[in-house]
Amino acid sequence: MKASLKKTSRLLATVVRHARPHLTWQNALLTALAALWIALTTIAILGARRQWKDRIKWVCDGSAPHTPWQEFHDAENRNASVYTPYHLTPGGGEKYLLSVVEVLQKSGHFVTLFLQENNIVQSVDQIMATASHLRVELDPAMLAIATWPMEEDDWDVARANPPRVFFALGNEKYPQAEGFGQLNFYMCQFPFDLDQPGSKGDIQRLATYNYVLLNSQFTFKWYSNFVQQAMPQLTHMGWSMPSIEVVYPPVTLLPPAPSTAAVRTNIMLLGRFFKDERMSKGHMTALLMFRDMLPQLPNTTRLVLAGQQVTGFGKFVQSLRDFATKHKLDHRVVFLVSQPFSVILDALHTSAVQWHLTGIEFDGAKDPATLEHFGISIVEGMSAGALPVALELGGPGDIIEHGVCGYLARDADEVMKYTHRLLRLPAVDRVVWSDRAVARAQNFGMSSFRTRVT
C-alpha cells in the first residue's frame, strides 16, 4: 500500500513539474483535477484488490458467507430463469444445473430453462428423462423451455419484468449471457479460456452478476488467478466485482452394498466414454495399467469400465475393446457402456477400488483445464463403499482424505502402487476403510447442497 502511494506521489510530482513552465490559473486547475483523478483511481484500485484478497480469505478459511438464496423464499416474484449453452446430456455440469432447478422449484419457483435452438433436448419430457437419469427430482408442471438468445422484444420484456433469480452455466471466466434477474448467479465449471483477456463486453456482462459459483478449491484457484486482470477495468468503469464462492456440486449418494467386503475384488473406472484434445477420463491408460498389473492381481479381479457413451464416440469405445482383445484381456475386462443405473450400482458394490484418471493422459501443469475439476463419480463410488485412487492434481483433493478413505496419486505408477496396497488389505481393515469412505461422501450429498444454497 505504501509503495503504491509513493508511486502515485511521484506521478503527481511529474505532472506538476511538466505543467510548471506554463502554470496559468487554467493549467493549475487542470493539473489539480488530473492529480485528483490519479489519486482517486489509485485508491479505488487498491481498495478493489484488497476486497478481492478478502474474498479469497473468505473461501480459503471457510468463513465465506452463504449465498443469499434465502432472500427469495419470501419474495412475491416466484419466477426463475436458468441458462445453459450446452447440450443436456448426462454429465456433472448438467447434474449441477438441474439440481439448481430442483432447489428453485422446491422453494416455490416456476423455472424457465433457456436452451440454444440446436440443443438435442427440445421438450420438457426430454428434460425430465435427463433429470431422471441423473437422479434429480423435477416437477414438469413448474418447468418451461425457451430459446436462447432471446429476440430484442423479449429482452425488453425480460428487463422490464426480471425473474427473481437468473442462473447461468459456462466454461469461461466471463459469462456469455447477461444477468437479467433480480439476483444473478454464474456457475463457472472451469475457466477453459485460461489467461485469455476479456473484452469490454465480457467484463460488462460479469458485472451484471451478484455471485460467481465455483465447484472446487482447485477451480477457485485458477479462476481467481485469471480473473484478477478484470479488477482495474471494473473499477475504472464504475462496476463492482461479483462475490466468488465455492459450492460443491450436489451428488446423489448411493445405497451401501448388501454384500460383505470380502466379495469386493474388482477395479472400476466410472466416467463417460469420450476423448478430445483437452479432456479424457483415462480409459486407455486404465487398460495399460491393468495389463501391467495383471500378473500380481488375484484371479478374481476384473477391470470394469463403466459410463455413458457420448454421442459420436462409438469408434473410441471400439478402439478400447480392440485393445483388450489384442492383449488377451477380454476375460478380465468388463465394458458397461450406457447401462442402466442398477447395473452400474451392482458393479460398484463388487468393486474394491475405483480409479479416477481424468487428466492422466495430458500435462495438467501446462493446461489445468485437462484435470478433474471436482469429481462427482468419486463421491458416488465412495458412498457405495468403493475406495478411490485418483490423481492428486485437480478437484479430487477436495474429496479424498489421503491414506484415510483412499489415495491421491501423482502418476500412473502411484495409482498402481496404491491399488495393490488396497487390494491386499485384510477384509476387516477394508471394511473400516469402506466405512470411512461412505462417511466422507455424506459431506457432498444433495442435502448438503440444499443446506449450502438455502
Side-chain angles (χ1 to χ4, degrees):
M1 179 73 173
K2 290 181 180 179
S4 298
L5 290 176
K6 285 182 180 178
K7 289 180 181 179
T8 304
S9 300
R10 287 198 295 271
L11 184 58
L12 294 177
T14 301
V15 171
V16 173
R17 185 170 63 253
H18 285 288
R20 191 176 292 158
H22 310 284
L23 199 60
T24 63
W25 71 269
Q26 293 97 334
N27 284 335
L29 178 60
L30 290 174
T31 300
L33 290 174
L36 179 62
W37 180 84
I38 292 171
L40 291 175
T41 300
T42 301
I43 291 170
I45 291 174
L46 288 172
R49 287 178 178 170
R50 179 181 296 168
Q51 184 186 41
W52 178 262
K53 290 179 180 178
D54 288 343
R55 288 201 175 102
I56 292 177
K57 177 180 179 295
W58 288 348
V59 173
C60 292
D61 68 6
S63 61
H66 283 202
T67 50
W69 294 56
Q70 65 272 14
E71 292 179 15
F72 59 70
H73 284 289
D74 299 323
E76 293 182 4
N77 185 347
R78 289 292 177 170
N79 292 310
S81 296
V82 174
Y83 166 66
T84 176
Y86 311 114
H87 291 298
L88 274 180
T89 57
E94 290 69 34
K95 171 80 171 181
Y96 201 122
L97 182 91
L98 294 180
S99 295
V100 168
V101 174
E102 178 186 336
V103 169
L104 288 167
Q105 287 186 338
K106 288 184 176 179
S107 62
H109 288 75
F110 183 92
V111 180
T112 300
L113 180 56
F114 284 92
L115 302 173
Q116 301 279 0
E117 189 173 6
N118 64 344
N119 200 295
I120 62 172
V121 167
Q122 293 291 324
S123 69
V124 170
D125 286 343
Q126 289 177 308
I127 293 175
M128 295 302 296
T130 301
S132 176
H133 183 90
L134 293 170
R135 301 184 297 284
V136 177
E137 299 176 2
L138 299 185
D139 181 353
M142 299 180 68
L143 183 64
I145 293 179
T147 302
W148 190 279
M150 288 187 282
E151 299 292 339
E152 192 57 43
D153 289 347
D154 294 329
W155 267 114
D156 292 339
V157 172
R159 292 185 180 113
N161 301 283
R164 179 63 182 135
V165 177
F166 177 69
F167 178 96
L169 188 71
N171 283 336
E172 300 84 17
K173 296 187 296 293
Y174 307 105
Q176 300 304 295
E178 171 190 330
F180 63 93
Q182 295 174 355
L183 189 61
N184 298 291
F185 295 87
Y186 173 53
M187 197 279 160
C188 176
Q189 300 184 98
F190 191 82
F192 279 80
D193 50 349
L194 302 179
D195 57 354
Q196 181 179 330
S199 66
K200 181 179 179 180
D202 289 332
I203 296 171
Q204 186 173 7
R205 282 193 299 276
L206 180 64
T208 64
Y209 285 79
N210 305 93
Y211 285 85
V212 174
L213 305 182
L214 305 171
N215 53 22
S216 67
Q217 298 291 347
F218 169 72
T219 300
F220 175 82
K221 168 190 170 183
W222 289 104
Y223 186 88
S224 60
N225 181 43
F226 292 135
V227 86
Q228 283 192 66
Q229 61 186 286
M231 292 294 293
Q233 292 168 277
L234 280 166
T235 303
H236 177 67
M237 296 172 183
W239 298 325
S240 60
M241 184 75 190
S243 294
I244 316 297
E245 293 219 26
V246 173
V247 178
Y248 292 124
V251 182
T252 303
L253 302 179
L254 307 182
S259 55
T260 64
V263 303
R264 289 182 176 271
T265 59
N266 293 335
I267 301 168
M268 185 169 180
L269 189 154
L270 178 59
R272 288 183 292 175
F273 288 94
F274 79 100
K275 183 178 181 180
D276 59 29
E277 65 277 4
R278 295 184 81 182
M279 287 293 289
S280 164
K281 298 299 183 181
H283 293 97
M284 184 57 75
T285 300
L287 287 171
L288 289 166
M289 290 194 301
F290 187 71
R291 180 195 64 184
D292 294 343
M293 293 176 65
L294 207 53
Q296 288 80 44
L297 291 176
N299 292 332
T300 55
T301 298
R302 303 285 186 272
L303 173 63
V304 181
L305 301 179
Q308 292 292 309
Q309 177 186 304
V310 176
T311 303
F313 285 90
K315 290 183 177 179
F316 171 66
V317 174
Q318 188 57 49
S319 71
L320 298 175
R321 295 183 186 274
D322 292 343
F323 180 92
T325 300
K326 178 181 177 181
H327 293 275
K328 297 181 173 55
L329 300 175
D330 306 63
H331 64 296
R332 301 292 293 270
V333 177
V334 179
F335 287 89
L336 299 179
V337 182
S338 301
Q339 292 295 308
F341 167 69
S342 59
V343 175
I344 303 299
L345 181 59
D346 287 343
L348 280 170
H349 283 164
T350 57
S351 296
V353 175
Q354 180 186 359
W355 283 347
H356 197 83
L357 306 177
T358 301
I360 200 168
E361 297 171 352
F362 299 95
D363 187 347
K366 292 183 178 179
D367 185 1
T370 63
L371 300 172
E372 177 59 73
H373 311 138
F374 176 67
I376 287 178
S377 64
I378 298 174
V379 179
E380 291 176 329
M382 290 170 64
S383 71
L387 302 177
V389 179
L391 293 187
E392 67 176 1
L393 297 175
D398 284 21
I399 303 169
I400 301 169
E401 295 177 296
H402 181 74
V404 176
C405 60
Y407 286 107
L408 296 165
R410 290 176 292 185
D411 51 32
D413 288 338
E414 284 203 344
V415 171
M416 292 188 286
K417 179 182 75 173
Y418 290 136
T419 300
H420 280 304
R421 185 179 298 177
L422 290 173
L423 290 175
R424 291 167 182 161
L425 282 174
V428 174
D429 292 342
R430 192 181 298 174
V431 170
V432 173
W433 278 67
S434 184
D435 288 344
R436 290 197 297 239
V438 172
R440 176 64 178 166
Q442 308 309 305
N443 296 323
F444 305 97
M446 189 64 185
S447 61
S448 296
F449 179 75
R450 291 195 190 101
T451 300
R452 184 72 175 93
V453 300
T454 55

